[in-house]
Amino acid sequence: MTTGFVPPPYPYDRLDGFRPLAEVWTGGLVDLSIGTPCDPPPEAVVTALSTSDSERGYPPSIGTAALRRAVRAWFDRRFGVDVPDERIAACVGTKEFVATLPQWLKLREPWRDTVLYPEVSYPTYEMGAILAGCRAVPVPVVADGSFRIDLDAIDEQDAARALLLWVNSPANPTGAVDDLGAAAAWGRRHGVPVFSDECYCEFTWEGSAHSILEHGLDGVIAVHSLSKRSNLAGVRVGFYAGDAELVHYLREVRKHVGMLVPGPAQAAGVVALDDDGHVAEQRTRYRDRLELLAGAFERWSGVTVPLPAGGFYLWFEVGDGWAFTERLAREGGALVSPGALYGQAGDRYVRAAVVQPLDRLKLVAERLGVS
Ligand SMILES: Cc1ncc(COP(=O)(O)O)c(C=O)c1O
């Protein structure tokens, strides 16, 4: 019998009981629970996977020169920010980066022990703190229903102990778009590095896309992924960039761990990053799906389903997120995520990821009698 760490159930495994309820429908389950892209990446990206001639040797942990050049060019094109190559490094998708980061930061500053993250957010921010034996301290969101992070609510003592603050804009699951300049300023004022998870930035609906790096590189790190931008979640390419010392430290420690994006994946990442056309197409797909599904859910349930400020999730208040999830599985054959998976403050909400083609969403609307 172990008395040590016991991993909690993986959030999405908690939905397994709902699947059989939806699977009985002709046409099967329409899975809107996990934010896993369903659309194809560009053909040239897939070709690059098999033609890079990079299978034999170990790939550089920090990312190939070509990948870091492509990242630099993308930051410049997208945000007008010049990020020197040595302030950029690769990660194996961003989930591993998020989950392992606190342990590396704690080794560097053992006198600090706290990870700050938005109280309704991607569960791996909290899990990374737990895996490092740190205090996971959720930061409240503002009370106006926008779910933006409330930096003023951070306790000074927690700030003094903080290894980092996570922000995520546009946010999963809420779609909130935060003031990244305010987050950077908060971090610099308190001497706390701010890690800005920007993996949904290409799907910003209100205003234009932003990176925290627009507010200077010092004391901040932007974290990006090609999983959502380029439908490459299966290939595992992410990158982080910003503060010189932090990037240098993380690059070095991650080399020792053997965090390597496979060479063919890095080559594919270059092709994906160099192309903005497929991202524009994907934006249109998500927008159409968000609008269709929001309308169908509103007509069926009578609750308001707002369109998000960013991202590809509908996030709406239903009263009891678990009960709504069960009812939708039974009556619509669709699976969504109860908001409690993203923090207790989300328990009156559900999240629906529009990662199914339009005809599958129309099928759900038909089943619900609101097509
Ligand atoms: C907010 C957020 N950050 C990071 C990730 C991790 O994505 P990946 O590991 O594919 O880069 C996800 C995936 O859903 C996410 O929603």
Side-chain angles (χ1 to χ4, degrees), residues 12 34-36 91-98 121-125 168 170-173 197-200 223-228 232-234 236-238 312-313 351:
Y12 295 103
I34 301 179
T36 185
C91 50
V92 194
T94 52
K95 189 179 179 81
E96 62 82 359
F97 183 88
V98 174
S121 59
Y122 179 55
T124 312
Y125 304 135
N168 174 214
N172 171 17
D197 181 347
E198 301 173 358
C199 66
Y200 296 99
V223 182
H224 283 271
S225 173
L226 295 188
S227 296
K228 320 285 180 181
L232 285 178
R236 315 304 301 142
V237 186
F312 52 65
Y313 304 106
R351 188 196 82 168

mmCIF file of all heavy atoms in Angstrom, residues 12 34-36 91-98 121-125 168 170-173 197-200 223-228 232-234 236-238 312-313 351, ligand 1:
data_model
loop_
_atom_site.group_PDB
_atom_site.id
_atom_site.type_symbol
_atom_site.label_atom_id
_atom_site.label_comp_id
_atom_site.label_asym_id
_atom_site.label_seq_id
_atom_site.Cartn_x
_atom_site.Cartn_y
_atom_site.Cartn_z
ATOM 1 N N TYR A 12 -10.647 14.105 -18.098
ATOM 2 C CA TYR A 12 -11.597 13.631 -19.111
ATOM 3 C C TYR A 12 -12.014 12.184 -18.888
ATOM 4 O O TYR A 12 -13.044 11.752 -19.394
ATOM 5 C CB TYR A 12 -11.042 13.879 -20.516
ATOM 6 C CG TYR A 12 -10.929 15.368 -20.755
ATOM 7 C CD1 TYR A 12 -9.702 16.009 -20.683
ATOM 8 C CD2 TYR A 12 -12.073 16.136 -20.975
ATOM 9 C CE1 TYR A 12 -9.612 17.381 -20.839
ATOM 10 C CE2 TYR A 12 -11.989 17.505 -21.125
ATOM 11 C CZ TYR A 12 -10.753 18.123 -21.061
ATOM 12 O OH TYR A 12 -10.665 19.482 -21.195
ATOM 13 N N ILE A 34 -13.100 17.087 -25.401
ATOM 14 C CA ILE A 34 -11.668 17.439 -25.414
ATOM 15 C C ILE A 34 -11.394 18.381 -26.581
ATOM 16 O O ILE A 34 -11.947 18.201 -27.663
ATOM 17 C CB ILE A 34 -10.800 16.168 -25.534
ATOM 18 C CG1 ILE A 34 -11.109 15.242 -24.351
ATOM 19 C CG2 ILE A 34 -9.319 16.520 -25.566
ATOM 20 C CD1 ILE A 34 -10.327 13.945 -24.360
ATOM 21 N N GLY A 35 -10.519 19.352 -26.369
ATOM 22 C CA GLY A 35 -10.221 20.334 -27.430
ATOM 23 C C GLY A 35 -9.212 19.814 -28.425
ATOM 24 O O GLY A 35 -8.180 20.437 -28.665
ATOM 25 N N THR A 36 -9.517 18.661 -29.010
ATOM 26 C CA THR A 36 -8.566 18.048 -29.941
ATOM 27 C C THR A 36 -8.994 18.328 -31.381
ATOM 28 O O THR A 36 -10.100 17.976 -31.773
ATOM 29 C CB THR A 36 -8.439 16.524 -29.642
ATOM 30 O OG1 THR A 36 -7.436 15.953 -30.474
ATOM 31 C CG2 THR A 36 -9.737 15.771 -29.848
ATOM 32 N N CYS A 91 9.396 23.111 -27.294
ATOM 33 C CA CYS A 91 8.914 22.134 -26.316
ATOM 34 C C CYS A 91 8.061 21.098 -27.046
ATOM 35 O O CYS A 91 7.638 21.334 -28.184
ATOM 36 C CB CYS A 91 8.183 22.790 -25.152
ATOM 37 S SG CYS A 91 6.901 23.961 -25.602
ATOM 38 N N VAL A 92 7.833 19.986 -26.364
ATOM 39 C CA VAL A 92 7.206 18.837 -27.028
ATOM 40 C C VAL A 92 5.686 18.980 -26.936
ATOM 41 O O VAL A 92 5.012 18.281 -26.181
ATOM 42 C CB VAL A 92 7.698 17.522 -26.383
ATOM 43 C CG1 VAL A 92 7.321 16.337 -27.274
ATOM 44 C CG2 VAL A 92 9.197 17.553 -26.153
ATOM 45 N N GLY A 93 5.144 19.946 -27.671
ATOM 46 C CA GLY A 93 3.802 20.411 -27.359
ATOM 47 C C GLY A 93 3.937 21.180 -26.054
ATOM 48 O O GLY A 93 5.021 21.189 -25.435
ATOM 49 N N THR A 94 2.874 21.825 -25.602
ATOM 50 C CA THR A 94 3.071 22.670 -24.413
ATOM 51 C C THR A 94 2.606 22.024 -23.117
ATOM 52 O O THR A 94 2.946 22.489 -22.045
ATOM 53 C CB THR A 94 2.384 24.030 -24.583
ATOM 54 O OG1 THR A 94 1.035 23.825 -24.966
ATOM 55 C CG2 THR A 94 3.084 24.867 -25.624
ATOM 56 N N LYS A 95 1.851 20.935 -23.218
ATOM 57 C CA LYS A 95 1.355 20.344 -21.962
ATOM 58 C C LYS A 95 2.516 19.910 -21.074
ATOM 59 O O LYS A 95 2.521 20.170 -19.868
ATOM 60 C CB LYS A 95 0.437 19.157 -22.245
ATOM 61 C CG LYS A 95 -0.284 18.651 -20.999
ATOM 62 C CD LYS A 95 -1.210 17.499 -21.322
ATOM 63 C CE LYS A 95 -1.925 16.971 -20.108
ATOM 64 N NZ LYS A 95 -3.093 17.770 -19.740
ATOM 65 N N GLU A 96 3.517 19.255 -21.660
ATOM 66 C CA GLU A 96 4.653 18.833 -20.830
ATOM 67 C C GLU A 96 5.387 20.044 -20.247
ATOM 68 O O GLU A 96 5.872 20.000 -19.122
ATOM 69 C CB GLU A 96 5.596 17.897 -21.608
ATOM 70 C CG GLU A 96 6.273 18.473 -22.869
ATOM 71 C CD GLU A 96 7.524 19.306 -22.589
ATOM 72 O OE1 GLU A 96 7.878 19.462 -21.423
ATOM 73 O OE2 GLU A 96 8.117 19.818 -23.557
ATOM 74 N N PHE A 97 5.442 21.114 -21.016
ATOM 75 C CA PHE A 97 6.118 22.324 -20.532
ATOM 76 C C PHE A 97 5.376 22.877 -19.313
ATOM 77 O O PHE A 97 5.978 23.211 -18.286
ATOM 78 C CB PHE A 97 6.172 23.361 -21.661
ATOM 79 C CG PHE A 97 6.900 24.615 -21.283
ATOM 80 C CD1 PHE A 97 8.268 24.703 -21.451
ATOM 81 C CD2 PHE A 97 6.222 25.703 -20.748
ATOM 82 C CE1 PHE A 97 8.953 25.857 -21.086
ATOM 83 C CE2 PHE A 97 6.896 26.852 -20.382
ATOM 84 C CZ PHE A 97 8.264 26.931 -20.554
ATOM 85 N N VAL A 98 4.050 22.941 -19.436
ATOM 86 C CA VAL A 98 3.220 23.475 -18.347
ATOM 87 C C VAL A 98 3.348 22.582 -17.104
ATOM 88 O O VAL A 98 3.480 23.068 -15.980
ATOM 89 C CB VAL A 98 1.735 23.555 -18.795
ATOM 90 C CG1 VAL A 98 0.839 23.954 -17.635
ATOM 91 C CG2 VAL A 98 1.569 24.533 -19.957
ATOM 92 N N SER A 121 -9.512 27.389 -15.187
ATOM 93 C CA SER A 121 -8.446 27.310 -16.194
ATOM 94 C C SER A 121 -8.105 25.869 -16.564
ATOM 95 O O SER A 121 -8.614 24.908 -15.971
ATOM 96 C CB SER A 121 -7.185 28.029 -15.689
ATOM 97 O OG SER A 121 -6.745 27.445 -14.479
ATOM 98 N N TYR A 122 -7.230 25.778 -17.516
ATOM 99 C CA TYR A 122 -6.633 24.519 -17.980
ATOM 100 C C TYR A 122 -6.046 23.782 -16.766
ATOM 101 O O TYR A 122 -5.211 24.345 -16.046
ATOM 102 C CB TYR A 122 -5.545 24.919 -18.983
ATOM 103 C CG TYR A 122 -4.752 23.820 -19.617
ATOM 104 C CD1 TYR A 122 -5.378 22.783 -20.300
ATOM 105 C CD2 TYR A 122 -3.356 23.851 -19.574
ATOM 106 C CE1 TYR A 122 -4.627 21.798 -20.914
ATOM 107 C CE2 TYR A 122 -2.596 22.876 -20.194
ATOM 108 C CZ TYR A 122 -3.242 21.842 -20.853
ATOM 109 O OH TYR A 122 -2.494 20.880 -21.462
ATOM 110 N N PRO A 123 -6.486 22.540 -16.524
ATOM 111 C CA PRO A 123 -6.132 21.878 -15.260
ATOM 112 C C PRO A 123 -4.636 21.635 -15.054
ATOM 113 O O PRO A 123 -4.190 21.422 -13.924
ATOM 114 C CB PRO A 123 -6.872 20.528 -15.354
ATOM 115 C CG PRO A 123 -7.902 20.684 -16.415
ATOM 116 C CD PRO A 123 -7.422 21.750 -17.347
ATOM 117 N N THR A 124 -3.850 21.671 -16.116
ATOM 118 C CA THR A 124 -2.425 21.326 -15.982
ATOM 119 C C THR A 124 -1.636 22.406 -15.230
ATOM 120 O O THR A 124 -0.563 22.122 -14.699
ATOM 121 C CB THR A 124 -1.839 21.053 -17.390
ATOM 122 O OG1 THR A 124 -2.738 20.173 -18.072
ATOM 123 C CG2 THR A 124 -0.489 20.391 -17.323
ATOM 124 N N TYR A 125 -2.154 23.637 -15.150
ATOM 125 C CA TYR A 125 -1.440 24.652 -14.345
ATOM 126 C C TYR A 125 -1.384 24.187 -12.888
ATOM 127 O O TYR A 125 -0.339 24.243 -12.239
ATOM 128 C CB TYR A 125 -2.141 26.016 -14.405
ATOM 129 C CG TYR A 125 -2.337 26.558 -15.802
ATOM 130 C CD1 TYR A 125 -3.557 27.116 -16.187
ATOM 131 C CD2 TYR A 125 -1.313 26.522 -16.738
ATOM 132 C CE1 TYR A 125 -3.755 27.608 -17.464
ATOM 133 C CE2 TYR A 125 -1.503 27.011 -18.019
ATOM 134 C CZ TYR A 125 -2.723 27.547 -18.372
ATOM 135 O OH TYR A 125 -2.910 28.028 -19.641
ATOM 136 N N ASN A 168 -3.584 33.041 -19.357
ATOM 137 C CA ASN A 168 -3.976 32.275 -20.549
ATOM 138 C C ASN A 168 -5.020 33.087 -21.297
ATOM 139 O O ASN A 168 -6.147 33.219 -20.847
ATOM 140 C CB ASN A 168 -4.543 30.914 -20.086
ATOM 141 C CG ASN A 168 -5.116 30.085 -21.224
ATOM 142 O OD1 ASN A 168 -6.097 29.358 -21.043
ATOM 143 N ND2 ASN A 168 -4.524 30.157 -22.402
ATOM 144 N N PRO A 170 -6.345 34.069 -25.416
ATOM 145 C CA PRO A 170 -7.693 33.731 -24.963
ATOM 146 C C PRO A 170 -7.672 32.473 -24.089
ATOM 147 O O PRO A 170 -6.850 31.591 -24.303
ATOM 148 C CB PRO A 170 -8.456 33.453 -26.262
ATOM 149 C CG PRO A 170 -7.681 34.142 -27.343
ATOM 150 C CD PRO A 170 -6.256 34.098 -26.907
ATOM 151 N N ALA A 171 -8.606 32.426 -23.152
ATOM 152 C CA ALA A 171 -8.531 31.401 -22.112
ATOM 153 C C ALA A 171 -9.334 30.159 -22.458
ATOM 154 O O ALA A 171 -10.404 30.230 -23.032
ATOM 155 C CB ALA A 171 -9.048 31.976 -20.792
ATOM 156 N N ASN A 172 -8.772 29.042 -22.071
ATOM 157 C CA ASN A 172 -9.493 27.780 -22.019
ATOM 158 C C ASN A 172 -9.884 27.586 -20.558
ATOM 159 O O ASN A 172 -9.007 27.639 -19.702
ATOM 160 C CB ASN A 172 -8.565 26.648 -22.467
ATOM 161 C CG ASN A 172 -9.149 25.272 -22.236
ATOM 162 O OD1 ASN A 172 -10.344 25.134 -22.030
ATOM 163 N ND2 ASN A 172 -8.299 24.256 -22.259
ATOM 164 N N PRO A 173 -11.128 27.384 -20.198
ATOM 165 C CA PRO A 173 -12.274 27.125 -21.063
ATOM 166 C C PRO A 173 -13.142 28.353 -21.351
ATOM 167 O O PRO A 173 -14.095 28.246 -22.111
ATOM 168 C CB PRO A 173 -13.101 26.162 -20.188
ATOM 169 C CG PRO A 173 -12.891 26.692 -18.790
ATOM 170 C CD PRO A 173 -11.458 27.176 -18.767
ATOM 171 N N ASP A 197 0.279 31.722 -21.553
ATOM 172 C CA ASP A 197 -0.078 30.607 -22.444
ATOM 173 C C ASP A 197 -0.976 31.179 -23.547
ATOM 174 O O ASP A 197 -2.127 31.540 -23.303
ATOM 175 C CB ASP A 197 -0.788 29.540 -21.610
ATOM 176 C CG ASP A 197 -1.181 28.316 -22.420
ATOM 177 O OD1 ASP A 197 -1.145 28.369 -23.661
ATOM 178 O OD2 ASP A 197 -1.546 27.301 -21.786
ATOM 179 N N GLU A 198 -0.415 31.238 -24.748
ATOM 180 C CA GLU A 198 -1.097 31.948 -25.843
ATOM 181 C C GLU A 198 -1.485 31.003 -26.976
ATOM 182 O O GLU A 198 -1.586 31.408 -28.137
ATOM 183 C CB GLU A 198 -0.171 33.083 -26.332
ATOM 184 C CG GLU A 198 0.157 34.050 -25.203
ATOM 185 C CD GLU A 198 1.206 35.118 -25.539
ATOM 186 O OE1 GLU A 198 1.743 35.096 -26.673
ATOM 187 O OE2 GLU A 198 1.481 35.961 -24.660
ATOM 188 N N CYS A 199 -1.769 29.736 -26.628
ATOM 189 C CA CYS A 199 -1.962 28.740 -27.693
ATOM 190 C C CYS A 199 -3.237 28.964 -28.505
ATOM 191 O O CYS A 199 -3.383 28.399 -29.584
ATOM 192 C CB CYS A 199 -1.888 27.326 -27.140
ATOM 193 S SG CYS A 199 -3.206 26.867 -26.024
ATOM 194 N N TYR A 200 -4.152 29.805 -27.991
ATOM 195 C CA TYR A 200 -5.376 30.093 -28.764
ATOM 196 C C TYR A 200 -5.341 31.469 -29.433
ATOM 197 O O TYR A 200 -6.366 31.945 -29.907
ATOM 198 C CB TYR A 200 -6.611 30.002 -27.851
ATOM 199 C CG TYR A 200 -6.839 28.609 -27.315
ATOM 200 C CD1 TYR A 200 -6.418 28.257 -26.030
ATOM 201 C CD2 TYR A 200 -7.457 27.633 -28.086
ATOM 202 C CE1 TYR A 200 -6.605 26.973 -25.545
ATOM 203 C CE2 TYR A 200 -7.652 26.352 -27.611
ATOM 204 C CZ TYR A 200 -7.222 26.028 -26.337
ATOM 205 O OH TYR A 200 -7.411 24.751 -25.862
ATOM 206 N N VAL A 223 4.129 31.306 -24.247
ATOM 207 C CA VAL A 223 4.143 29.860 -24.524
ATOM 208 C C VAL A 223 3.153 29.585 -25.655
ATOM 209 O O VAL A 223 1.982 29.973 -25.568
ATOM 210 C CB VAL A 223 3.745 29.066 -23.259
ATOM 211 C CG1 VAL A 223 3.804 27.565 -23.521
ATOM 212 C CG2 VAL A 223 4.640 29.442 -22.083
ATOM 213 N N HIS A 224 3.653 28.934 -26.710
ATOM 214 C CA HIS A 224 2.834 28.720 -27.915
ATOM 215 C C HIS A 224 2.878 27.272 -28.364
ATOM 216 O O HIS A 224 3.823 26.553 -28.067
ATOM 217 C CB HIS A 224 3.329 29.617 -29.059
ATOM 218 C CG HIS A 224 2.903 31.029 -28.892
ATOM 219 N ND1 HIS A 224 1.717 31.495 -29.385
ATOM 220 C CD2 HIS A 224 3.494 32.060 -28.246
ATOM 221 C CE1 HIS A 224 1.595 32.780 -29.060
ATOM 222 N NE2 HIS A 224 2.659 33.144 -28.370
ATOM 223 N N SER A 225 1.855 26.924 -29.134
ATOM 224 C CA SER A 225 1.730 25.548 -29.601
ATOM 225 C C SER A 225 1.218 25.543 -31.034
ATOM 226 O O SER A 225 0.418 26.399 -31.411
ATOM 227 C CB SER A 225 0.725 24.834 -28.705
ATOM 228 O OG SER A 225 0.439 23.556 -29.209
ATOM 229 N N LEU A 226 1.670 24.570 -31.807
ATOM 230 C CA LEU A 226 1.095 24.408 -33.147
ATOM 231 C C LEU A 226 -0.106 23.462 -33.131
ATOM 232 O O LEU A 226 -0.744 23.250 -34.152
ATOM 233 C CB LEU A 226 2.158 23.913 -34.123
ATOM 234 C CG LEU A 226 3.307 24.892 -34.363
ATOM 235 C CD1 LEU A 226 4.215 24.396 -35.484
ATOM 236 C CD2 LEU A 226 2.778 26.290 -34.711
ATOM 237 N N SER A 227 -0.407 22.892 -31.952
ATOM 238 C CA SER A 227 -1.508 21.928 -31.867
ATOM 239 C C SER A 227 -2.816 22.520 -32.352
ATOM 240 O O SER A 227 -3.544 21.902 -33.127
ATOM 241 C CB SER A 227 -1.693 21.467 -30.425
ATOM 242 O OG SER A 227 -0.562 20.771 -29.987
ATOM 243 N N LYS A 228 -3.131 23.723 -31.883
ATOM 244 C CA LYS A 228 -4.421 24.342 -32.212
ATOM 245 C C LYS A 228 -4.276 25.180 -33.487
ATOM 246 O O LYS A 228 -5.119 25.129 -34.364
ATOM 247 C CB LYS A 228 -4.901 25.235 -31.071
ATOM 248 C CG LYS A 228 -4.655 24.686 -29.682
ATOM 249 C CD LYS A 228 -5.609 23.576 -29.311
ATOM 250 C CE LYS A 228 -5.300 23.086 -27.889
ATOM 251 N NZ LYS A 228 -6.152 22.011 -27.446
ATOM 252 N N LEU A 232 -2.107 20.302 -35.365
ATOM 253 C CA LEU A 232 -0.957 19.402 -35.261
ATOM 254 C C LEU A 232 -0.790 18.826 -33.859
ATOM 255 O O LEU A 232 0.340 18.546 -33.440
ATOM 256 C CB LEU A 232 0.326 20.144 -35.658
ATOM 257 C CG LEU A 232 0.544 20.391 -37.151
ATOM 258 C CD1 LEU A 232 1.827 21.185 -37.378
ATOM 259 C CD2 LEU A 232 0.605 19.072 -37.919
ATOM 260 N N ALA A 233 -1.898 18.628 -33.165
ATOM 261 C CA ALA A 233 -1.778 18.124 -31.787
ATOM 262 C C ALA A 233 -1.068 16.766 -31.749
ATOM 263 O O ALA A 233 -0.398 16.432 -30.773
ATOM 264 C CB ALA A 233 -3.155 18.038 -31.137
ATOM 265 N N GLY A 234 -1.207 15.987 -32.823
ATOM 266 C CA GLY A 234 -0.575 14.671 -32.846
ATOM 267 C C GLY A 234 0.911 14.706 -33.147
ATOM 268 O O GLY A 234 1.596 13.686 -33.026
ATOM 269 N N ARG A 236 3.131 17.261 -31.893
ATOM 270 C CA ARG A 236 3.784 17.739 -30.677
ATOM 271 C C ARG A 236 4.886 18.763 -30.943
ATOM 272 O O ARG A 236 6.087 18.482 -30.796
ATOM 273 C CB ARG A 236 4.354 16.581 -29.820
ATOM 274 C CG ARG A 236 3.445 15.384 -29.630
ATOM 275 C CD ARG A 236 2.097 15.736 -29.043
ATOM 276 N NE ARG A 236 2.157 16.366 -27.753
ATOM 277 C CZ ARG A 236 1.335 17.361 -27.381
ATOM 278 N NH1 ARG A 236 0.403 17.816 -28.203
ATOM 279 N NH2 ARG A 236 1.450 17.886 -26.202
ATOM 280 N N VAL A 237 4.489 19.936 -31.360
ATOM 281 C CA VAL A 237 5.439 21.039 -31.514
ATOM 282 C C VAL A 237 4.914 22.251 -30.750
ATOM 283 O O VAL A 237 3.812 22.742 -31.015
ATOM 284 C CB VAL A 237 5.644 21.450 -32.988
ATOM 285 C CG1 VAL A 237 6.757 22.500 -33.093
ATOM 286 C CG2 VAL A 237 5.972 20.246 -33.856
ATOM 287 N N GLY A 238 5.714 22.705 -29.816
ATOM 288 C CA GLY A 238 5.413 23.940 -29.096
ATOM 289 C C GLY A 238 6.684 24.756 -28.977
ATOM 290 O O GLY A 238 7.776 24.294 -29.356
ATOM 291 N N PHE A 312 -11.898 28.264 -29.173
ATOM 292 C CA PHE A 312 -12.937 27.524 -29.897
ATOM 293 C C PHE A 312 -13.839 26.728 -28.960
ATOM 294 O O PHE A 312 -14.241 25.611 -29.254
ATOM 295 C CB PHE A 312 -12.356 26.678 -31.036
ATOM 296 C CG PHE A 312 -11.215 25.755 -30.672
ATOM 297 C CD1 PHE A 312 -11.407 24.692 -29.792
ATOM 298 C CD2 PHE A 312 -9.966 25.925 -31.255
ATOM 299 C CE1 PHE A 312 -10.386 23.818 -29.499
ATOM 300 C CE2 PHE A 312 -8.914 25.048 -30.961
ATOM 301 C CZ PHE A 312 -9.133 23.995 -30.080
ATOM 302 N N TYR A 313 -14.133 27.353 -27.824
ATOM 303 C CA TYR A 313 -15.030 26.734 -26.860
ATOM 304 C C TYR A 313 -16.232 27.635 -26.595
ATOM 305 O O TYR A 313 -16.080 28.854 -26.493
ATOM 306 C CB TYR A 313 -14.315 26.515 -25.524
ATOM 307 C CG TYR A 313 -13.058 25.697 -25.648
ATOM 308 C CD1 TYR A 313 -11.798 26.295 -25.552
ATOM 309 C CD2 TYR A 313 -13.116 24.322 -25.866
ATOM 310 C CE1 TYR A 313 -10.639 25.546 -25.677
ATOM 311 C CE2 TYR A 313 -11.958 23.560 -25.990
ATOM 312 C CZ TYR A 313 -10.724 24.180 -25.896
ATOM 313 O OH TYR A 313 -9.575 23.435 -26.023
ATOM 314 N N ARG A 351 -18.498 23.429 -20.913
ATOM 315 C CA ARG A 351 -17.669 23.831 -22.047
ATOM 316 C C ARG A 351 -17.931 22.888 -23.217
ATOM 317 O O ARG A 351 -17.925 21.668 -23.044
ATOM 318 C CB ARG A 351 -16.192 23.743 -21.650
ATOM 319 C CG ARG A 351 -15.247 24.337 -22.694
ATOM 320 C CD ARG A 351 -13.819 23.901 -22.475
ATOM 321 N NE ARG A 351 -13.559 22.590 -23.021
ATOM 322 C CZ ARG A 351 -12.350 22.045 -23.170
ATOM 323 N NH1 ARG A 351 -11.281 22.716 -22.770
ATOM 324 N NH2 ARG A 351 -12.195 20.843 -23.679
HETATM 325 C C1 LIG B 1 -4.698 26.404 -22.392
HETATM 326 C C2 LIG B 1 -3.950 25.246 -22.940
HETATM 327 N N1 LIG B 1 -2.626 25.233 -22.823
HETATM 328 C C3 LIG B 1 -1.893 24.216 -23.306
HETATM 329 C C4 LIG B 1 -2.496 23.143 -23.933
HETATM 330 C C5 LIG B 1 -1.623 22.014 -24.405
HETATM 331 O O1 LIG B 1 -1.603 21.845 -25.764
HETATM 332 P P1 LIG B 1 -0.403 21.075 -26.479
HETATM 333 O O2 LIG B 1 0.264 20.214 -25.438
HETATM 334 O O3 LIG B 1 -1.041 20.251 -27.528
HETATM 335 O O4 LIG B 1 0.519 22.118 -26.994
HETATM 336 C C6 LIG B 1 -3.878 23.121 -24.082
HETATM 337 C C7 LIG B 1 -4.536 21.978 -24.730
HETATM 338 O O5 LIG B 1 -5.724 21.833 -24.740
HETATM 339 C C8 LIG B 1 -4.630 24.212 -23.582
HETATM 340 O O6 LIG B 1 -5.952 24.271 -23.697
#
